[in-house]
Amino acid sequence: MTATKVVGPKGETRTVPEAVARHVWVAAGGRCTICNRYLLADNVTGQEVSIGQLAHIVGWSTAPGSPRGDHELPVEQRNSAENLMLLCHDQHRVIDHKSLWEVFDVDTLRALKRSHEERIRKLTGLGHEKRTTVLRVAGNIHGRPVELNSSSVTTALLANNRFPDWILRGADEFEIDLRAIPGEPTSSPAYWAAARSHLEDRLMHLCTQVRKEAVNHVSVFALARIPVLVLLGTYLDKMLQVDIYPKRREGKTVWGFDDLGAPVRFSSELLRAGNDPSRVAILCSISGSIDINRLPSEVLDSHTIYELRPTATLPTPELITTQAGLDQFSQAWRTLLSTIEVDHPGAPAIPIFPAVPPAAAIAIGRHLLRAAQPPLHIYDREPNSPGYFFTISTEA
Ligand SMILES: [Zn+2]
């Protein structure tokens, strides 16, 4: 019996994806969810033999012979990790025996799975340096809501040898959910104020957990408007280890960087010098080019303007696909900030016009030294609007 097989009541088997099977085995700690028996060895002989089985909570089909199959859960979701539990073969026979379907109903089995997996995670989490705290930020982007379910997060983390903890999760099942805030499609000033306030409110919880040393590694899954992500970055403590999982543009939702990708470098250039050395603005032309002529007149007429862009290639949305690419971007960004610190002392604030992917937006905020460097005034643009408008300041 291979680990990816799910066994039915008559011994017939279904195969589930390896990642799903691994999720269930890992969450159950290799022990039976009901009797806690260790499933890689026989109790009596000590012989190493796998006696674990993946079992459906809601039966895999709606046919009358399928245990608990007469349930509202859509059939296509029944082979998910949430609907599978790890059992020894004895307990599996028990829960699938027709006379016991009412005893082991769906709610009972889900409760058993939840408490077993919580206990395993707590015990195996002791001294566990591979634990990471999940931080999901879901907003709307130009009217389109973002999907970020926990199983795709878990799959991405397991692929990176990390185990999720969800201690930042709120009552709405998300760590930070901006999707209910009105005014996003029109970029109303009230939207930016509400998004900022909600973000800061929820990040207080993270800061508390970091201070208590309950969190030392964070994995960020964020899709929201770029100004929100820059602001998010400013709150991710420099001392904290942070991995960013960008959404990859593939057919189905996959999170995380590619291992391999074309190397990419970035550099900044002085586009034009202004009259007042303390006024300086930045264009970040990474995923697209910022047209200097679309800048608002209060910036265009007076500021010295720098542009950060890829070296020897054109800006495109798919430019930063690897961690190395993001590191290159972060380095170029820090260099530009240092240059501005030296050449433009006393700048009260820096207007920034970012055409960047989400991971780079977070890096922009994260590498800003809030105590020493001027706040960023982040501008954005609607797809069909002619010019840029102010959204959020990183000023604390
Ligand atoms: Zn058992």
Side-chain angles (χ1 to χ4, degrees):
M1 183 68 53
T2 61
T4 54
K5 291 276 196 292
V6 186
V7 185
K10 297 194 181 74
E12 75 280 26
T13 59
R14 311 265 131 196
T15 303
V16 295
E18 217 253 326
V20 171
R22 189 168 60 213
H23 182 143
V24 182
W25 273 86
V26 168
R31 289 184 175 274
C32 174
T33 302
I34 295 178
C35 73
N36 202 41
R37 188 169 166 190
Y38 187 58
L39 296 174
L40 294 180
D42 178 60
N43 279 354
V44 181
T45 60
Q47 194 78 25
E48 227 184 83
V49 48
S50 177
I51 49 175
Q53 294 187 347
L54 295 175
H56 283 100
I57 295 175
V58 175
W60 68 270
S61 92
T62 54
S66 178
R68 298 163 297 277
D70 177 26
H71 187 276
E72 67 203 8
L73 186 72
V75 168
E76 64 273 13
Q77 290 175 26
R78 295 186 178 190
N79 285 333
S80 68
E82 285 76 17
N83 190 48
L84 294 172
M85 61 198 303
L86 185 64
L87 293 175
C88 65
H89 51 59
D90 294 345
Q91 290 295 338
H92 196 169
R93 279 178 62 89
V94 169
I95 69 157
D96 282 356
H97 197 278
K98 195 159 189 176
S99 67
L100 294 170
W101 287 1
E102 279 184 29
V103 177
F104 292 103
D105 62 11
V106 170
D107 288 346
T108 303
L109 292 179
R110 282 178 175 169
L112 286 167
K113 174 180 164 77
R114 200 178 315 121
S115 81
H116 177 73
E117 291 182 355
E118 276 172 9
R119 192 175 57 84
I120 292 292
R121 200 170 79 202
K122 203 167 169 185
L123 292 172
T124 54
L126 294 171
H128 204 304
E129 71 291 352
K130 289 295 183 189
R131 192 170 59 104
T132 184
T133 300
V134 176
L135 176 58
R136 286 172 298 171
V137 182
N140 292 334
I141 300 179
H142 302 300
R144 284 175 290 120
V146 162
E147 284 307 322
L148 244 169
N149 63 43
S150 57
S151 64
S152 56
V153 167
T154 304
T155 303
L157 292 175
L158 288 177
N160 228 4
N161 289 323
R162 290 266 174 202
F163 299 94
D165 90 46
W166 305 90
I167 61 171
L168 302 179
R169 180 149 64 186
D172 54 5
E173 290 294 304
F174 273 86
E175 291 71 37
I176 300 177
D177 189 351
L178 306 169
R179 293 174 297 183
I181 298 175
E184 187 278 329
T186 55
S187 280
S188 73
Y191 173 77
W192 300 109
R196 177 188 186 117
S197 149
H198 187 72
L199 191 78
E200 291 180 344
D201 194 45
R202 298 306 295 267
L203 287 170
M204 288 284 285
H205 188 32
L206 171 63
C207 295
T208 308
Q209 298 296 328
V210 170
R211 268 199 306 277
K212 282 161 59 182
E213 296 182 15
V215 168
N216 52 30
H217 187 283
V218 175
S219 296
V220 180
F221 297 77
L223 261 190
R225 292 288 292 270
I226 294 299
V228 171
L229 298 180
V230 175
L231 188 65
L232 167 72
T234 66
Y235 279 93
L236 297 174
D237 192 305
K238 308 288 181 287
M239 304 305 288
L240 196 60
Q241 281 192 68
V242 175
D243 286 345
I244 296 173
Y245 287 78
K247 185 178 174 186
R248 283 195 231 155
R249 280 166 206 255
E250 288 174 13
K252 64 185 178 76
T253 310
V254 179
W255 296 84
F257 283 115
D258 278 328
D259 294 332
L260 296 170
V264 55
R265 289 179 179 278
F266 303 88
S267 58
S268 52
E269 189 189 341
L270 177 66
L271 287 191
R272 35 162 277 191
N275 304 327
D276 180 349
S278 76
R279 290 181 178 274
V280 54
I282 299 173
L283 317 185
C284 273
S285 297
I286 308 300
S287 53
S289 291
I290 303 282
D291 180 354
I292 193 169
N293 297 312
R294 291 178 186 266
L295 265 48
S297 57
E298 75 261 22
V299 174
L300 195 56
D301 296 346
S302 54
H303 285 57
T304 295
I305 298 173
Y306 289 90
E307 185 180 45
L308 182 60
R309 53 182 298 127
T311 310
T313 184
L314 289 172
T316 62
E318 312 293 324
L319 204 61
I320 299 177
T321 57
T322 62
Q323 180 65 50
L326 183 65
D327 293 344
Q328 288 290 341
F329 171 80
S330 299
Q331 196 187 332
W333 168 243
R334 284 196 303 265
T335 304
L336 175 58
L337 284 176
S338 308
T339 305
I340 289 172
E341 236 184 314
V342 172
D343 292 349
H344 303 272
I350 302 176
I352 180 168
F353 300 81
V356 297
I362 297 169
I364 285 173
R366 191 159 155 73
H367 294 287
L368 178 74
L369 303 172
R370 265 173 132 186
Q373 292 167 336
L376 302 175
H377 284 182
I378 309 159
Y379 283 71
D380 201 1
R381 182 179 159 250
E382 289 301 323
N384 299 316
S385 74
Y388 286 85
F389 49 83
F390 171 72
T391 61
I392 289 177
S393 166
T394 63
E395 196 157 14

